[in-house]
Amino acid sequence: MIAIAGGGPNGLMLACELALAGLRPVVLEKLAERSQEPKANGMVGQVVRLLHHRGLHERLGGGETPFRTPGYMFGMLPLDLSAVPDNPLTILPVPQHRIEQVLEERALELGVEIRRGHEVTGFTQDDSGVHVRVLGPRGVHELSVEFLVGADGGRSTVRKLAGIGFPGVSTEKGVVRVAHVSLPERVDGNLEVPGHGPIPPGSHVRTEHGVFMHIELEQGKPLVMTVEWDPADDLPMTLDELRQSIHRVLGADVPVGPPRAHGPHMLRRTSGGNTRIAEKYRRGRVFLIGDAAHVHSAMGGPGLNLGLQDAANLGWKLAGHVHGWAPPGLLDTYEAERRPAAERVVVHTQAQTALTGPGPEVTALRTFFAELMAGADVATHIAETMAGADIRYPTGANHPLAGRFLPDWGPVSLLSQARPLLLDLTRKPALRDIAAEWADRVDVVELESTYAHADALLVRPDGYVAWAGDGVLSGLREELAAWFGSPRILAAVTN
């Protein structure tokens, strides 16, 4: 058994991945009921495509195919993606409570046990497993598992109990106020503001005094946000405070009223921020994913893209170990692959934060940076960075596709069961002869594609290409063994 501390999106995603791999994890969530508190407002980047492969994209209201947005924001500057070839920036605007609901429903369908009102309060570990102390509705009890995964957020109890440091920087600068409100009638979604004209939804207006934005992610529930740099008091947030903040930022009044639609409603103020990455993602049989492993600015919305892919990366590797076929060192590749992804998010979110700061020198920087962003090459670079499409995992294959996420061709259902795949694009008999030795772990699928530029692709369960062959099958056997262990024939002899 594998225990997951935390029943948010990352913990539930990991539970689904483990269940697809034939395991029955248990999720320990200290909240008695699923939180309805408004948090993230959607997903951006590669994770949208991953959820599409798992059959969850349409359940989340994303339609039949992921939406590639023609424009986005970087540092609260408009980013035109119309000239970007093979635009990688897919988005799925959906509130976090809905994401959690869908992932929980899927986890339960797959047989995952979710224990609400259960909090991890301690653990010890040895060569046999992890002995977890859990505080539940009936008191304290111990749970013995093979692995424990901390998916319990930025203040992770698991991380602290494991003695894993969380270095980084904190800042007191920046006050973000955000609330669901009612707004005056808008034309095509645009909000008319004296002195600024029509402000489109989702467009960030920066002045020397702060930032203003409005958007309607859920029908009938306009959301307004301001960012300022002066410190705020500790009194409870109010709508009147938001109105005053809007006036300071825009130099004009915007008639915001209480929300008319049903809840839950957001009315929140946050001050300062943290940028931190755990010193280790693993200590023995204890792992960290999501915010337990990294926290950063929400600028650009990269959080769920990073955390949910942590879960997909770790899930099949843990399953391989439990099933007995994981090659030596496979579990160590989790940190080796996902830490650079977190470091990359830290770089671009800190850069975006710098671009939104106060002062005429930042205004000048923004003007110059906007000129650079108008170029297709720069826009492509930024889009790939924000999508996580610039991440390339280390692999022994020397091919442009190796180490990258599976391109958008072929039936999307290929990865619905989170199984390793060997895609045969030219029907080579020799390929099937090699693959037969791993038939218990790797599925062979014949495909025809004019876009592949390869004869065969070895695809990991998390959607990344482990090996690609163009004309020859050199290295395939080695990569199969490197990622999916000894071949079945050899394993049978050695056992």
Side-chain angles (χ1 to χ4, degrees), residues 28-255:
L28 305 171
E29 169 54 55
K30 66 180 181 180
L31 294 180
E33 297 181 357
R34 190 171 58 244
S35 173
Q36 294 298 309
E37 179 185 354
K39 295 178 182 177
N41 293 313
M43 290 172 282
V44 180
Q46 300 280 74
V47 71
V48 179
R49 295 170 55 202
L50 173 64
L51 292 173
H52 188 40
H53 282 295
R54 294 292 191 263
L56 295 170
H57 181 264
E58 195 163 1
R59 284 198 191 194
L60 287 162
E64 295 183 1
T65 57
F67 173 67
R68 296 173 183 261
T69 179
Y72 203 61
M73 303 292 291
F74 184 84
M76 298 187 183
L77 287 167
L79 176 65
D80 183 5
L81 301 174
S82 60
V84 172
D86 195 24
N87 175 12
L89 206 54
T90 49
I91 65 172
L92 180 57
V94 55
Q96 182 166 323
H97 64 84
R98 175 59 180 163
I99 297 171
E100 291 185 8
Q101 178 186 353
V102 169
L103 288 175
E104 182 174 315
E105 290 171 353
R106 180 56 173 156
L108 293 173
E109 290 172 6
L110 293 170
V112 173
E113 183 180 0
I114 301 174
R115 300 181 185 176
R116 292 201 168 274
H118 287 72
E119 180 180 3
V120 173
T121 59
F123 63 81
T124 59
Q125 60 174 312
D126 52 36
D127 292 341
S128 66
V130 187
H131 312 286
V132 187
R133 188 167 65 250
V134 181
L135 175 61
R138 298 183 179 179
V140 177
H141 65 279
E142 187 172 281
L143 182 67
S144 293
V145 297
E146 291 187 68
F147 295 97
L148 171 64
V149 180
D152 48 346
R155 295 183 175 88
S156 171
T157 298
V158 172
R159 186 188 65 239
K160 294 172 184 176
L161 291 172
I164 298 175
F166 205 35
V169 296
S170 298
T171 178
E172 298 300 322
K173 297 179 179 178
V175 179
V176 179
R177 296 176 176 89
V178 59
H180 283 113
V181 299
S182 58
L183 291 172
E185 185 175 348
R186 287 149 287 159
V187 179
D188 296 328
N190 295 331
L191 178 65
E192 192 71 34
V193 177
H196 295 273
I199 298 178
S203 176
H204 294 77
V205 177
R206 176 195 174 271
T207 71
E208 289 293 331
H209 306 287
V211 177
F212 171 83
M213 186 269 291
H214 74 96
I215 194 168
E216 189 169 313
L217 296 170
E218 297 179 80
Q219 188 173 3
K221 296 181 67 173
L223 196 69
V224 167
M225 180 196 75
T226 64
V227 182
E228 295 184 89
W229 295 284
D230 292 333
D233 56 40
D234 294 329
L235 297 174
M237 170 77 172
T238 65
L239 272 182
D240 192 53
E241 178 184 334
L242 178 64
R243 295 185 190 100
Q244 294 174 28
S245 177
I246 294 172
H247 183 85
R248 289 192 297 269
V249 170
L250 297 179
D253 291 322
V254 174

Side-chain angles (χ1 to χ4, degrees), residues 15 126 143 160 181 209 245 250 271 276 297 306 346 351 355 373 393 399 402 487:
D126 52 36
L143 182 67
K160 294 172 184 176
V181 299
H209 306 287
S245 177
L250 297 179
S271 298
R276 300 181 180 277
S297 167
L306 189 59
V346 164
L355 280 168
M373 288 169 60
Y393 294 152
H399 189 282

